[in-house]
Amino acid sequence: MKLKKGDEVQVLSGKDVGKRGEVTRVLPERDRVIVTSPQLINVVKKHQKPTRATMQGGIIDKEMPIHASNVAFVCKDCGPTRLGYRIGADGVKIRVCKKCEADA
Ligand SMILES: [Zn+2]
């Protein structure tokens, strides 16, 4: 699991493909991340009549668990990309963008 909380990610598959959101939780044991974004289509359709509250709406943050392989990390310089690691001088693994090799 290379993703961490606070990362911006883009969805790679499913009906939310292309949408972006923020990782708000990481579920390493399930290899999934919770992505929060007002753009997401909520996966679970609740059998519930629209309430006055939701009709008034505005921006509602939606979230769903997505398998880590179905999202791409979004580098602020190159957009959706892959993550790698380099070993810093002190032997610590540093997460980097695979395209521009900037620390991520
Ligand atoms: Zn980059």
XYZ file of all heavy atoms in Angstrom:
795
model
N 0.848 -1.207 0.000
C 0.000 0.000 0.000
C 0.877 1.247 0.000
O 1.520 1.566 0.978
C -0.899 -0.005 1.249
C -1.751 1.228 1.392
S -3.026 1.420 0.149
C -4.215 0.226 0.760
N 0.884 1.919 -1.138
C 1.727 3.108 -1.237
C 0.961 4.384 -0.924
O 1.554 5.423 -0.678
C 2.317 3.199 -2.649
C 3.367 2.128 -2.903
C 3.801 2.121 -4.351
C 4.861 1.037 -4.563
N 5.074 0.762 -5.985
N -0.354 4.273 -0.964
C -1.160 5.471 -0.744
C -1.238 5.789 0.740
O -1.141 4.912 1.583
C -2.563 5.263 -1.309
C -2.629 5.080 -2.821
C -4.002 4.585 -3.239
C -2.288 6.374 -3.533
N -1.427 7.042 1.017
C -1.620 7.427 2.404
C -2.671 8.531 2.503
O -3.035 9.156 1.501
C -0.306 7.854 3.051
C 0.343 9.049 2.413
C 1.705 9.317 3.035
C 2.318 10.580 2.438
N 3.684 10.812 2.896
N -3.112 8.734 3.722
C -4.148 9.723 3.986
C -3.719 11.097 3.454
O -2.575 11.501 3.644
C -4.387 9.783 5.500
C -5.639 10.479 5.903
C -5.826 10.424 7.407
C -6.909 11.391 7.820
N -7.065 11.473 9.272
N -4.647 11.761 2.799
C -4.358 13.097 2.294
C -3.931 13.124 0.831
O -3.873 14.185 0.226
N -3.648 11.941 0.266
C -3.265 11.885 -1.141
C -4.449 12.246 -2.032
O -5.583 11.887 -1.741
C -2.841 10.463 -1.529
C -1.452 10.116 -1.019
O -0.737 11.027 -0.576
O -1.104 8.925 -1.065
N -4.147 12.922 -3.146
C -5.168 13.100 -4.162
C -5.053 11.929 -5.123
O -3.955 11.571 -5.555
C -4.996 14.417 -4.921
C -6.194 14.686 -5.826
C -6.066 15.924 -6.717
O -5.047 16.618 -6.651
O -7.011 16.152 -7.493
N -6.193 11.327 -5.439
C -6.178 10.177 -6.333
C -7.237 10.346 -7.422
O -8.207 11.085 -7.266
C -6.450 8.850 -5.570
C -5.289 8.517 -4.639
C -7.759 8.883 -4.811
N -7.013 9.624 -8.517
C -7.989 9.594 -9.600
C -8.478 8.165 -9.755
O -7.687 7.221 -9.748
C -7.347 10.095 -10.891
C -8.335 10.118 -12.057
C -7.845 10.973 -13.220
O -7.177 11.978 -13.050
N -8.169 10.553 -14.424
N -9.787 8.023 -9.905
C -10.374 6.691 -10.031
C -10.101 6.144 -11.430
O -10.273 6.836 -12.428
C -11.898 6.747 -9.758
C -12.525 5.368 -9.895
C -12.159 7.316 -8.374
N -9.665 4.876 -11.497
C -9.257 4.274 -12.768
C -10.291 3.336 -13.369
O -10.197 2.953 -14.529
C -7.958 3.484 -12.574
C -6.723 4.274 -12.149
C -5.560 3.330 -11.957
C -6.386 5.333 -13.175
N -11.245 2.898 -12.570
C -12.217 1.967 -13.126
C -13.558 2.123 -12.422
O -13.653 2.772 -11.393
C -11.713 0.525 -13.001
O -11.714 0.151 -11.659
N -14.568 1.534 -13.029
C -15.908 1.625 -12.459
C -16.630 2.862 -12.949
O -16.146 3.574 -13.830
N -17.781 3.115 -12.374
C -18.589 4.216 -12.903
C -18.080 5.588 -12.486
O -18.522 6.595 -13.018
C -20.057 4.034 -12.488
C -20.276 3.937 -11.010
C -21.728 3.579 -10.698
C -21.893 3.279 -9.218
N -23.244 2.862 -8.893
N -17.139 5.616 -11.575
C -16.559 6.894 -11.175
C -15.232 7.160 -11.869
O -14.467 8.020 -11.453
C -16.361 6.926 -9.660
C -17.676 7.100 -8.931
O -18.371 8.092 -9.200
O -18.021 6.243 -8.111
N -14.956 6.419 -12.927
C -13.668 6.538 -13.606
C -13.376 7.995 -13.993
O -14.249 8.713 -14.468
C -13.605 5.583 -14.833
C -14.628 5.952 -15.879
C -12.218 5.542 -15.425
N -12.162 8.415 -13.731
C -11.749 9.771 -14.085
C -11.970 10.800 -12.997
O -11.451 11.901 -13.064
N -12.766 10.425 -11.986
C -13.043 11.395 -10.933
C -11.925 11.410 -9.898
O -11.233 10.421 -9.709
C -14.384 11.078 -10.277
C -15.505 11.312 -11.257
C -16.843 11.012 -10.686
C -17.887 11.280 -11.765
N -19.211 10.868 -11.342
N -11.800 12.546 -9.286
C -10.729 12.704 -8.311
C -11.268 12.941 -6.918
O -12.355 13.486 -6.753
C -9.828 13.879 -8.689
C -9.022 13.579 -9.931
C -8.036 14.673 -10.192
N -7.300 14.392 -11.440
C -6.286 15.125 -11.889
N -5.902 16.173 -11.206
N -5.683 14.802 -13.007
N -10.499 12.522 -5.979
C -10.877 12.749 -4.601
C -9.665 12.639 -3.713
O -8.540 12.477 -4.188
N -9.930 12.722 -2.425
C -8.849 12.670 -1.458
C -8.956 11.399 -0.635
O -10.052 11.008 -0.227
C -8.939 13.899 -0.541
C -7.802 13.977 0.462
C -8.025 15.074 1.505
O -8.719 16.057 1.208
O -7.497 14.909 2.620
N -7.828 10.781 -0.407
C -7.804 9.609 0.462
C -8.003 10.085 1.897
O -7.209 10.866 2.415
C -6.467 8.846 0.335
C -6.399 7.707 1.354
C -6.290 8.305 -1.073
N -9.092 9.633 2.500
C -9.344 10.060 3.867
C -9.116 8.930 4.865
O -9.069 9.156 6.065
C -10.781 10.603 4.032
O -11.693 9.687 3.435
C -10.927 11.948 3.359
N -9.002 7.703 4.352
C -8.673 6.571 5.233
C -7.974 5.514 4.402
O -8.282 5.348 3.222
C -9.940 5.961 5.833
C -10.199 6.359 7.276
C -11.462 5.714 7.774
N -11.265 4.340 8.206
C -12.270 3.470 8.390
N -13.508 3.833 8.154
N -12.017 2.261 8.800
N -7.086 4.811 5.024
C -6.402 3.702 4.366
C -6.765 2.428 5.118
O -6.729 2.399 6.346
C -4.872 3.920 4.368
C -4.162 2.742 3.728
C -4.507 5.204 3.631
N -7.181 1.408 4.358
C -7.525 0.120 4.964
C -6.514 -0.918 4.476
O -6.794 -1.662 3.531
C -8.944 -0.296 4.568
C -10.058 0.742 4.765
C -11.354 0.273 4.122
C -10.272 1.039 6.238
N -5.342 -0.954 5.078
C -4.256 -1.803 4.547
C -4.609 -3.286 4.526
O -4.220 -3.993 3.596
C -3.085 -1.544 5.503
C -3.509 -0.485 6.432
C -4.976 -0.280 6.307
N -5.362 -3.723 5.502
C -5.675 -5.157 5.565
C -6.597 -5.586 4.436
O -6.645 -6.757 4.062
C -6.261 -5.522 6.950
C -7.669 -5.045 7.239
C -7.777 -3.546 7.570
O -6.737 -2.845 7.678
O -8.907 -3.062 7.724
N -7.319 -4.646 3.870
C -8.199 -4.947 2.731
C -7.648 -4.384 1.433
O -8.276 -4.509 0.387
C -9.602 -4.395 2.996
C -10.316 -5.124 4.143
C -11.560 -4.373 4.576
N -12.520 -4.262 3.487
C -13.510 -3.374 3.438
N -13.670 -2.522 4.430
N -14.336 -3.341 2.423
N -6.497 -3.734 1.521
C -5.875 -3.136 0.351
C -6.793 -2.104 -0.310
O -6.832 -1.989 -1.527
C -5.486 -4.232 -0.653
C -4.116 -3.942 -1.267
O -3.348 -3.181 -0.649
O -3.825 -4.442 -2.363
N -7.519 -1.409 0.514
C -8.457 -0.419 -0.008
C -8.223 0.933 0.638
O -7.636 1.025 1.721
C -9.902 -0.857 0.271
C -10.386 -1.908 -0.692
C -11.677 -2.528 -0.231
N -11.928 -3.727 -1.017
C -12.626 -3.744 -2.147
N -13.188 -2.665 -2.596
N -12.776 -4.867 -2.823
N -8.700 1.943 -0.048
C -8.655 3.286 0.512
C -10.066 3.867 0.470
O -10.861 3.514 -0.394
C -7.690 4.214 -0.281
C -6.255 3.774 -0.080
C -8.032 4.250 -1.763
N -10.344 4.718 1.431
C -11.601 5.459 1.400
C -11.318 6.779 0.708
O -10.466 7.550 1.143
C -12.138 5.747 2.820
C -12.285 4.460 3.636
C -13.451 6.520 2.755
C -13.446 3.596 3.254
N -12.015 6.994 -0.400
C -11.824 8.226 -1.157
C -13.039 9.113 -0.930
O -14.176 8.660 -1.064
C -11.633 7.923 -2.651
C -11.559 9.206 -3.460
C -10.369 7.093 -2.864
N -12.775 10.343 -0.586
C -13.842 11.295 -0.345
C -13.813 12.366 -1.421
O -12.762 12.937 -1.694
C -13.682 11.953 1.038
O -13.702 10.927 2.020
C -14.819 12.925 1.316
N -14.956 12.569 -2.034
C -15.036 13.564 -3.087
C -16.484 13.907 -3.346
O -17.336 13.036 -3.373
C -14.432 12.999 -4.375
O -14.802 13.806 -5.472
N -16.770 15.201 -3.556
C -18.147 15.553 -3.931
C -18.504 15.033 -5.313
O -19.668 14.985 -5.674
C -18.151 17.082 -3.895
C -16.730 17.507 -3.863
C -15.905 16.352 -3.384
N -17.503 14.635 -6.097
C -17.750 14.157 -7.466
C -18.187 12.707 -7.523
O -18.709 12.264 -8.538
C -16.459 14.244 -8.293
C -15.985 15.642 -8.573
C -14.792 15.616 -9.507
O -13.851 14.863 -9.293
N -14.839 16.428 -10.535
N -17.941 11.961 -6.474
C -18.200 10.533 -6.548
C -19.686 10.232 -6.606
O -20.501 10.875 -5.964
C -17.608 9.815 -5.332
C -16.090 9.733 -5.254
C -15.693 9.078 -3.948
C -15.550 8.943 -6.425
N -19.998 9.231 -7.396
C -21.343 8.700 -7.374
C -21.389 7.762 -6.184
O -20.519 6.908 -6.042
C -21.635 7.907 -8.669
C -21.533 8.825 -9.870
C -22.996 7.229 -8.579
C -21.407 8.072 -11.174
N -22.392 7.929 -5.365
C -22.414 7.052 -4.200
C -22.747 5.638 -4.638
O -23.705 5.415 -5.349
C -23.442 7.565 -3.190
C -22.939 7.372 -1.786
O -22.007 6.586 -1.551
N -23.526 8.080 -0.860
N -21.927 4.667 -4.248
C -22.118 3.304 -4.704
C -23.365 2.665 -4.127
O -24.059 1.922 -4.794
C -20.914 2.393 -4.365
C -19.856 2.568 -5.416
C -20.379 2.672 -2.983
N -23.643 2.974 -2.876
C -24.767 2.322 -2.223
C -26.014 3.160 -2.420
O -26.080 4.310 -2.013
C -24.494 2.152 -0.713
C -25.641 1.422 -0.050
C -23.180 1.427 -0.503
N -26.977 2.580 -3.083
C -28.245 3.273 -3.251
C -29.137 2.939 -2.069
O -29.532 1.802 -1.873
C -28.934 2.846 -4.550
C -28.464 3.632 -5.736
C -29.327 3.347 -6.945
C -28.815 4.118 -8.164
N -29.336 3.560 -9.412
N -29.429 3.937 -1.312
C -30.300 3.688 -0.174
C -31.740 3.818 -0.644
O -32.078 4.714 -1.413
C -30.019 4.706 0.929
C -28.714 4.424 1.661
C -28.460 5.469 2.738
C -27.117 5.225 3.378
N -26.665 6.378 4.161
N -32.552 2.914 -0.170
C -33.964 2.997 -0.506
C -34.632 3.988 0.441
O -35.159 3.645 1.474
C -34.611 1.616 -0.424
C -34.035 0.684 -1.439
N -34.413 0.715 -2.763
C -33.073 -0.245 -1.349
C -33.713 -0.186 -3.430
N -32.892 -0.784 -2.591
N -34.524 5.211 0.043
C -34.949 6.273 0.923
C -35.444 7.424 0.057
O -34.834 7.751 -0.958
C -33.719 6.717 1.727
C -34.017 7.552 2.927
C -32.729 7.834 3.697
O -31.695 8.162 3.134
N -32.788 7.694 4.999
N -36.527 7.992 0.452
C -37.022 9.138 -0.305
C -36.111 10.326 -0.062
O -35.561 10.464 1.026
C -38.448 9.482 0.140
C -39.463 8.486 -0.386
C -40.859 8.858 0.084
C -41.853 7.827 -0.423
N -43.182 7.986 0.180
N -35.961 11.177 -1.067
C -35.117 12.352 -0.841
C -35.697 13.211 0.273
O -36.914 13.437 0.324
C -35.152 13.083 -2.185
C -36.203 12.439 -2.997
C -36.492 11.105 -2.408
N -34.858 13.628 1.141
C -35.333 14.444 2.246
C -35.140 15.906 1.889
O -34.417 16.240 0.956
C -34.529 14.152 3.527
O -33.172 14.526 3.283
C -34.599 12.683 3.901
N -35.793 16.729 2.635
C -35.629 18.158 2.419
C -34.135 18.531 2.546
O -33.620 19.320 1.782
C -36.460 18.911 3.471
C -36.741 20.351 3.113
C -37.766 20.926 4.081
N -39.093 20.327 3.889
C -40.003 20.817 3.044
N -39.742 21.893 2.347
N -41.175 20.243 2.913
N -33.490 17.910 3.500
C -32.081 18.224 3.744
C -31.217 17.923 2.525
O -30.400 18.748 2.104
C -31.573 17.448 4.950
N -31.424 16.732 1.929
C -30.572 16.394 0.790
C -30.985 17.155 -0.462
O -30.177 17.388 -1.343
C -30.588 14.880 0.495
O -31.931 14.475 0.288
C -29.984 14.080 1.621
N -32.255 17.512 -0.558
C -32.689 18.280 -1.712
C -32.010 19.644 -1.717
O -31.672 20.165 -2.761
C -34.208 18.496 -1.686
C -35.019 17.240 -1.918
S -34.731 16.492 -3.523
C -35.640 17.620 -4.594
N -31.839 20.188 -0.538
C -31.191 21.500 -0.468
C -29.717 21.384 -0.810
O -29.106 22.333 -1.267
C -31.371 22.103 0.931
C -32.787 22.658 1.119
C -33.060 23.100 2.539
O -32.285 22.790 3.436
N -34.165 23.788 2.745
N -29.213 20.218 -0.581
C -27.925 19.791 -1.092
C -26.738 20.700 -0.888
O -26.203 20.770 0.197
N -26.364 21.382 -1.936
C -25.068 22.019 -1.923
C -24.066 20.931 -2.233
O -24.397 19.926 -2.856
N -22.851 21.108 -1.811
C -21.856 20.075 -2.073
C -21.850 19.086 -0.928
O -21.660 19.447 0.219
C -20.459 20.693 -2.268
C -20.461 21.568 -3.524
C -19.405 19.590 -2.382
C -19.244 22.425 -3.671
N -22.132 17.849 -1.287
C -22.112 16.804 -0.274
C -20.905 15.920 -0.543
O -20.751 15.394 -1.640
C -23.394 15.954 -0.332
C -24.621 16.854 -0.162
C -23.360 14.854 0.723
C -25.909 16.223 -0.616
N -20.061 15.800 0.445
C -18.917 14.903 0.290
C -19.374 13.468 0.364
O -20.062 13.069 1.289
C -17.878 15.167 1.382
C -17.007 16.363 1.025
O -17.170 16.907 -0.084
O -16.186 16.734 1.860
N -19.002 12.704 -0.648
C -19.345 11.294 -0.653
C -18.060 10.503 -0.527
O -17.005 10.937 -0.955
C -20.057 10.940 -1.953
C -21.408 11.602 -2.046
C -22.031 11.379 -3.393
C -23.401 12.045 -3.432
N -23.966 11.990 -4.775
N -18.188 9.337 0.035
C -16.984 8.536 0.175
C -17.275 7.085 -0.100
O -18.401 6.622 0.047
C -16.380 8.702 1.564
C -17.304 8.376 2.699
C -16.603 8.567 4.041
O -15.810 9.526 4.165
O -16.836 7.758 4.934
N -16.268 6.400 -0.597
C -16.422 4.975 -0.781
C -15.074 4.279 -0.737
O -14.049 4.877 -1.040
C -17.132 4.668 -2.088
C -16.399 5.099 -3.324
S -17.349 4.547 -4.754
C -16.196 4.890 -6.052
N -15.100 3.003 -0.317
C -13.855 2.245 -0.330
C -13.550 1.776 -1.745
O -14.422 1.255 -2.427
C -14.142 1.052 0.594
C -15.618 0.972 0.710
C -16.229 2.238 0.185
N -12.355 2.016 -2.181
C -11.923 1.621 -3.515
C -10.648 0.802 -3.374
O -9.784 1.137 -2.564
C -11.633 2.855 -4.405
C -12.856 3.773 -4.470
C -11.232 2.430 -5.816
C -12.646 5.039 -5.275
N -10.551 -0.270 -4.143
C -9.330 -1.067 -4.113
C -8.159 -0.204 -4.575
O -8.289 0.564 -5.526
C -9.477 -2.298 -5.007
C -8.439 -3.338 -4.704
N -7.285 -3.453 -5.422
C -8.384 -4.278 -3.720
C -6.561 -4.441 -4.900
N -7.198 -4.961 -3.870
N -7.054 -0.346 -3.872
C -5.890 0.519 -4.139
C -5.438 0.448 -5.596
O -4.914 1.418 -6.138
C -4.745 0.149 -3.204
N -5.674 -0.711 -6.242
C -5.234 -0.833 -7.632
C -6.156 -0.094 -8.596
O -5.851 0.033 -9.777
C -5.153 -2.309 -8.030
O -6.439 -2.883 -8.003
N -7.284 0.368 -8.110
C -8.240 1.062 -8.973
C -8.167 2.578 -8.880
O -9.013 3.280 -9.433
C -9.672 0.609 -8.664
C -9.918 -0.809 -9.123
O -9.258 -1.307 -10.030
N -10.850 -1.476 -8.489
N -7.172 3.069 -8.166
C -6.959 4.512 -8.132
C -5.503 4.811 -8.465
O -4.617 4.003 -8.225
C -7.313 5.146 -6.757
C -8.796 5.021 -6.469
C -6.484 4.548 -5.633
N -5.293 5.978 -9.055
C -3.931 6.417 -9.350
C -3.626 7.629 -8.493
O -4.459 8.530 -8.350
C -3.797 6.776 -10.819
N -2.448 7.635 -7.943
C -1.980 8.808 -7.213
C -1.877 9.981 -8.189
O -1.451 9.813 -9.333
C -0.608 8.511 -6.603
C 0.021 9.691 -5.925
C -0.382 10.064 -4.660
C 1.001 10.441 -6.571
C 0.197 11.169 -4.037
C 1.583 11.543 -5.951
C 1.179 11.901 -4.679
N -2.305 11.151 -7.752
C -2.210 12.330 -8.615
C -1.046 13.192 -8.143
O -1.082 13.765 -7.056
C -3.518 13.151 -8.611
C -3.357 14.421 -9.444
C -4.664 12.316 -9.152
N -0.024 13.238 -8.981
C 1.127 14.106 -8.704
C 0.718 15.532 -9.042
O 0.064 15.758 -10.060
C 2.310 13.669 -9.561
S 3.703 14.811 -9.518
N 1.096 16.486 -8.200
C 0.646 17.861 -8.455
C 1.279 18.444 -9.716
O 0.774 19.389 -10.287
C 0.884 18.762 -7.243
C 2.326 18.870 -6.800
C 2.404 19.686 -5.508
C 3.840 19.912 -5.051
N 4.565 18.660 -4.772
N 2.365 17.841 -10.173
C 2.995 18.322 -11.404
C 2.603 17.518 -12.642
O 2.422 18.078 -13.708
C 4.518 18.304 -11.261
C 4.988 19.297 -10.210
O 4.410 20.402 -10.153
O 5.904 18.966 -9.447
N 2.515 16.196 -12.517
C 2.255 15.391 -13.734
C 0.869 14.781 -13.802
O 0.571 14.094 -14.768
C 3.281 14.281 -13.917
S 4.560 14.107 -12.745
N 0.042 14.967 -12.826
C -1.276 14.352 -12.879
C -1.224 12.910 -12.411
O -0.329 12.536 -11.664
N -2.176 12.076 -12.876
C -2.226 10.686 -12.413
C -0.936 9.954 -12.779
O -0.486 10.027 -13.918
C -3.408 10.095 -13.178
C -4.196 11.261 -13.649
C -3.227 12.391 -13.825
N -0.363 9.291 -11.837
C 0.932 8.672 -12.057
C 1.087 7.482 -11.130
O 0.144 7.098 -10.439
C 2.056 9.706 -11.816
O 3.303 9.106 -12.116
C 2.066 10.158 -10.373
N 2.258 6.903 -11.165
C 2.523 5.810 -10.245
C 3.568 6.237 -9.224
O 4.368 7.145 -9.465
C 3.009 4.599 -11.031
C 1.897 4.088 -11.940
C 1.916 2.605 -12.046
N 2.776 2.170 -13.129
C 3.167 0.901 -13.281
N 2.809 -0.008 -12.412
N 3.919 0.577 -14.286
N 3.542 5.537 -8.123
C 4.459 5.862 -7.052
C 5.589 4.851 -6.986
O 5.407 3.668 -7.255
C 3.713 5.868 -5.711
C 2.753 7.028 -5.500
C 1.825 6.731 -4.333
C 3.505 8.320 -5.250
N 6.737 5.344 -6.643
C 7.865 4.457 -6.389
C 8.559 4.919 -5.125
O 8.052 5.785 -4.404
N 9.671 4.316 -4.867
C 10.427 4.726 -3.694
C 11.876 4.922 -4.077
O 12.396 4.285 -4.981
C 10.358 3.643 -2.601
C 9.005 3.509 -1.973
C 8.156 2.477 -2.339
C 8.571 4.416 -1.011
C 6.901 2.341 -1.762
C 7.319 4.294 -0.426
C 6.489 3.255 -0.803
O 5.257 3.135 -0.238
N 12.503 5.828 -3.393
C 13.962 5.878 -3.473
C 14.481 5.840 -2.041
O 13.759 6.162 -1.094
C 14.435 7.125 -4.217
C 14.174 8.432 -3.500
C 14.719 9.606 -4.327
N 14.317 10.885 -3.731
C 14.985 11.451 -2.719
N 16.050 10.885 -2.194
N 14.564 12.602 -2.212
N 15.687 5.413 -1.918
C 16.286 5.332 -0.593
C 17.099 6.592 -0.349
O 18.007 6.919 -1.112
C 17.192 4.077 -0.471
C 16.427 2.813 -0.874
C 17.743 3.960 0.949
C 15.243 2.476 0.013
N 16.716 7.304 0.688
C 17.417 8.545 1.015
C 18.783 8.259 1.620
O 19.146 7.112 1.894
N 19.535 9.323 1.814
C 20.900 9.218 2.320
C 20.963 8.491 3.674
O 21.890 7.741 3.950
C 21.507 10.614 2.455
N 19.923 8.679 4.471
C 19.899 8.065 5.791
C 19.279 6.666 5.763
O 18.994 6.088 6.800
C 19.142 8.968 6.771
C 17.797 9.415 6.214
O 17.426 8.967 5.095
O 17.110 10.210 6.869
N 19.054 6.125 4.549
C 18.514 4.772 4.444
C 17.003 4.689 4.560
O 16.440 3.604 4.517
N 16.363 5.827 4.662
C 14.911 5.835 4.795
C 14.267 5.831 3.411
O 14.730 6.499 2.497
C 14.453 7.089 5.590
C 12.935 7.165 5.649
C 15.034 7.047 6.993
N 13.216 5.033 3.262
C 12.489 5.005 1.997
C 11.700 6.291 1.820
O 10.947 6.686 2.704
C 11.498 3.827 1.970
C 12.117 2.542 1.478
C 11.094 1.629 0.841
C 10.099 1.042 1.837
N 9.277 -0.015 1.235
N 11.864 6.898 0.683
C 11.131 8.131 0.381
C 10.224 7.866 -0.811
O 10.661 7.341 -1.829
C 12.110 9.287 0.058
C 13.013 9.543 1.274
C 11.339 10.543 -0.338
C 14.241 10.369 0.950
N 8.962 8.212 -0.645
C 7.994 7.981 -1.716
C 8.182 9.030 -2.800
O 8.271 10.221 -2.506
C 6.595 8.071 -1.117
C 5.567 7.202 -1.799
C 4.281 7.269 -1.043
N 3.782 8.644 -1.017
C 2.493 8.956 -0.959
N 1.588 8.029 -0.873
N 2.112 10.203 -0.929
N 8.216 8.595 -4.032
C 8.412 9.534 -5.138
C 7.425 9.248 -6.268
O 6.939 8.131 -6.437
C 9.849 9.460 -5.718
C 10.878 9.892 -4.678
C 10.177 8.068 -6.240
N 7.166 10.291 -7.060
C 6.424 10.148 -8.307
C 7.333 9.454 -9.302
O 8.491 9.821 -9.452
C 6.025 11.536 -8.798
S 5.449 11.545 -10.500
N 6.796 8.439 -9.994
C 7.650 7.699 -10.923
C 7.964 8.485 -12.181
O 8.922 8.188 -12.872
C 6.979 6.358 -11.300
C 7.281 5.264 -10.294
C 6.981 3.899 -10.868
C 7.435 2.812 -9.895
N 7.063 1.466 -10.389
N 7.123 9.483 -12.482
C 7.368 10.264 -13.691
C 8.425 11.339 -13.450
O 9.432 11.387 -14.132
C 6.073 10.948 -14.152
C 5.299 10.136 -15.173
C 4.118 10.950 -15.698
C 2.992 10.028 -16.140
N 1.727 10.756 -16.345
N 8.159 12.222 -12.498
C 9.068 13.357 -12.314
C 10.059 13.095 -11.189
O 10.984 13.897 -10.982
C 8.288 14.646 -12.054
S 7.377 14.663 -10.501
N 9.878 12.004 -10.474
C 10.765 11.592 -9.392
C 10.817 12.585 -8.238
O 11.741 12.553 -7.436
C 12.161 11.261 -9.929
C 12.101 10.092 -10.898
C 13.467 9.610 -11.372
O 14.455 10.318 -11.134
O 13.527 8.506 -11.954
N 9.820 13.472 -8.169
C 9.740 14.370 -7.029
C 9.217 13.603 -5.823
O 8.459 12.640 -5.968
C 8.807 15.537 -7.344
N 9.617 14.019 -4.656
C 9.086 13.410 -3.434
C 7.569 13.584 -3.408
O 7.072 14.650 -3.743
C 9.689 14.068 -2.196
C 11.193 13.788 -2.099
O 11.739 13.114 -2.988
O 11.814 14.269 -1.131
N 6.905 12.539 -3.024
C 5.436 12.598 -3.004
C 4.922 12.320 -1.596
O 5.582 11.695 -0.802
C 4.841 11.598 -3.983
Zn 5.286 13.869 -10.824
